[in-house]
Amino acid sequence: MTKYIIALVLGLLVGTAVFAAAIIYNPFGSDRGLSPLSVTGAEVLALNFSAVPSDAIVFTNNGESRVRPFPEKVLQLWEAPIRLTSAMATVLRDARSRTAGIGVKFSSLSEQTKLLEGDALVDSVWYVYLPGRGSLFLEQSENYWTFLREVGLPAYQNSSNNWKGSWLGDLTVGPGALGTARVTGGTGSLQGLQMEAMESLSARAFSAEEGPIAADGRLLIELPAAVDQSEDGLSVD
Amino acid sequence: MLASAAGLYSYPVVDQHREPSIVSVAANGGNVESFHIKVPMDRIMVGKPDRKKPLPVGLEWPGDQMLQNVHIELFKIRNARDTVIGVAARTTANDSSNEVIDWVLHLPARGSVFVNMSAKPVGGGYRVGELRAGSREFGPLSGSMTERWLPDTSGEDDAPQGRIELVTTFVGVLEPL
């Protein structure tokens, strides 16, 4: 009898391990390839920011996550309805690294996450204020599956819990039909405009214990033809 | 392998905590919902230049000249039962051409709203704004939001200084039959 129980337990363990490996290394996973905005003929507004929390003005979450809030004494989001949420305020820079404005990002883990299908989703919104230009609101779903598989997992597997290399990928997967974010202009010259956008991440170092060590984010916002003419050099790509 | 697949399929990886929505119906149509922010308890960040006591402690507001007229505050927001249900950002800025007052409310289990407020308050200390955009549950809605500051008058030692009251009135879009 004992040998059957041992065989059953071993079978379950091996089956689970094989299944986990199949999920992680699934060659048919969601790798979307080329960004729709990279082939657009329209003018694109590029806004860059550091994706390292300690480079932000403020970053906060539930305080128990791997990524620590910054500054250290910032109010943490520990209440049950906001425990799976993070908030960040950061400076946004143009392609010439000049300050272009300021952005606030709220991100929450998405209930649409389906690991079986390679979807590790985050629902997020950006509020962006660009002095002299106006404000805009960006809503998107982001998929971190490829990032976790190609950066997060190798960092865990590394004996020093670190990953170093070069990873560049688009995070936005919706809600636009082409997998783009939906952008609405709020004030100034952007008022009333409907636009599309993509958020991408460029990582160079990641720690399994602390999160991103060296990483930059980028928002690419496709401008309607009427506001293509930039007076301040923001439209660059 | 089948057991693992079945478990992963049936058990939700992410399950956001939900508080019941407290909604009333407006007389002329639409759903009315009230939120509030206790000040200073619910303040996450007060981002403005030259603030003597930064909040949070250690905050360094960027010194760029172009951001000198920008003021951003981050808050936790509560529902009518005084339960924290989301986070919010309020931005005020003074461009040469106009004054900007924007709110973004983010309710993780429901979605987010983006509201442009009118710079001039109306009677009773209210300021009224228009819903510009929303995500998920709020995506197909239109409507307005009011804000006002209510100072605390209880006199209790541990009472907040006051609260910011936000009242949304949202209407769904009519769909053709």
Side-chain angles (χ1 to χ4, degrees):
Chain A
M1 184 67 181
T2 310
K3 69 179 179 184
Y4 293 118
I5 293 173
I6 292 172
L8 176 68
V9 170
L10 285 176
L12 283 172
L13 290 175
V14 171
T16 303
V18 171
F19 176 76
I23 289 283
I24 292 168
Y25 299 107
N26 175 12
F28 305 106
S30 56
D31 189 358
R32 301 175 59 248
L34 196 61
S35 158
L37 294 194
S38 64
V39 292
T40 181
E43 198 82 12
V44 174
L45 172 66
L47 297 169
N48 302 314
F49 58 96
S50 171
V52 179
S54 57
D55 290 341
I57 299 169
V58 154
F59 174 84
T60 187
N61 56 20
N62 61 20
E64 295 172 356
S65 300
R66 193 158 292 106
V67 183
R68 306 301 302 164
F70 177 84
E72 195 178 345
K73 292 188 177 175
V74 65
L75 198 61
Q76 295 173 358
L77 311 181
W78 56 268
E79 294 89 347
I82 55 173
R83 277 185 67 81
L84 304 179
T85 295
S86 64
M88 175 180 76
T90 189
V91 173
L92 300 172
R93 302 188 186 280
D94 64 16
R96 298 172 200 161
S97 289
R98 298 175 307 186
T99 300
I102 201 156
V104 174
K105 185 181 187 184
F106 295 130
S107 307
S108 298
L109 298 185
S110 172
E111 293 179 323
Q112 304 302 315
T113 290
K114 292 176 183 146
L115 298 181
L116 269 177
E117 298 172 17
D119 290 337
L121 300 180
V122 170
D123 293 321
S124 63
V125 294
W126 276 94
Y127 170 80
V128 173
Y129 181 73
L130 306 172
R133 230 173 171 167
S135 60
L136 58 85
F137 172 79
L138 183 154
E139 59 156 312
Q140 64 177 346
S141 287
E142 300 172 78
N143 190 353
Y144 281 85
W145 178 256
T146 310
F147 175 80
L148 293 173
R149 190 175 67 178
E150 297 177 1
V151 176
L153 187 66
Y156 276 103
Q157 291 171 334
N158 187 290
S159 58
S160 59
N161 277 346
N162 280 318
W163 172 91
K164 282 185 181 175
S166 179
W167 187 90
L168 173 65
D170 291 323
L171 299 175
T172 307
V173 292
L178 295 174
T180 51
R182 194 176 292 146
V183 184
T184 304
T187 57
S189 62
L190 303 170
Q191 184 172 348
L193 298 179
Q194 294 295 324
M195 297 162 274
E196 292 185 279
M198 292 291 294
E199 181 173 345
S200 60
L201 182 66
S202 166
R204 298 179 301 282
F206 183 88
S207 163
E209 293 167 352
E210 299 170 31
I213 302 296
D216 295 307
R218 171 178 267 202
L219 289 172
L220 287 178
I221 302 170
E222 187 184 45
L223 296 171
V227 292
D228 277 359
Q229 300 84 7
S230 172
E231 295 173 358
D232 49 16
L234 277 173
S235 304
V236 287
D237 284 1
Chain B
M1 287 180 66
L2 282 175
S4 302
L8 202 55
Y9 181 79
S10 57
Y11 187 79
V13 180
V14 177
D15 188 12
Q16 292 281 3
H17 178 91
R18 282 177 165 72
E19 289 289 326
S21 301
I22 306 164
V23 174
S24 57
V25 179
N28 58 349
N31 289 336
V32 179
E33 199 163 357
S34 175
F35 307 96
H36 67 272
I37 295 158
K38 286 182 177 177
V39 177
M41 294 83 160
D42 294 335
R43 266 185 174 152
I44 298 169
M45 179 189 88
V46 180
K48 62 190 294 189
D50 305 326
R51 188 176 154 89
K52 288 177 183 170
K53 289 185 177 177
L55 184 78
V57 174
L59 174 95
E60 289 183 23
W61 189 249
D64 305 81
Q65 188 60 38
M66 69 184 312
L67 298 178
Q68 292 308 298
N69 293 325
V70 183
H71 175 189
I72 297 184
E73 291 183 80
L74 302 183
F75 305 100
K76 295 178 180 180
I77 50 174
R78 299 171 184 265
N79 64 9
R81 290 195 193 91
D82 207 30
T83 304
V84 171
I85 52 157
V87 285
R90 185 180 192 267
T91 302
T92 58
N94 212 334
D95 267 352
S96 53
S97 54
N98 58 348
E99 190 175 353
V100 174
I101 302 175
D102 288 338
W103 276 97
V104 172
L105 313 184
H106 177 69
L107 313 178
R110 298 171 62 188
S112 306
V113 297
F114 171 44
V115 180
N116 291 144
M117 307 302 291
S118 167
K120 289 184 180 175
V122 295
Y126 286 95
R127 192 175 270 119
V128 182
E130 182 187 351
L131 174 66
R132 288 280 179 199
S135 71
R136 295 188 284 152
E137 179 182 313
F138 303 103
L141 305 182
S142 62
S144 62
M145 186 176 89
T146 62
E147 68 164 9
R148 72 169 169 165
W149 167 251
L150 294 170
D152 179 74
T153 54
S154 69
E156 295 172 8
D157 289 343
D158 57 350
Q161 294 170 8
R163 61 188 210 167
I164 301 169
E165 182 189 77
L166 304 172
V167 179
T168 60
T169 306
F170 293 154
V171 187
V173 177
L174 283 176
E175 294 180 4
L177 294 172

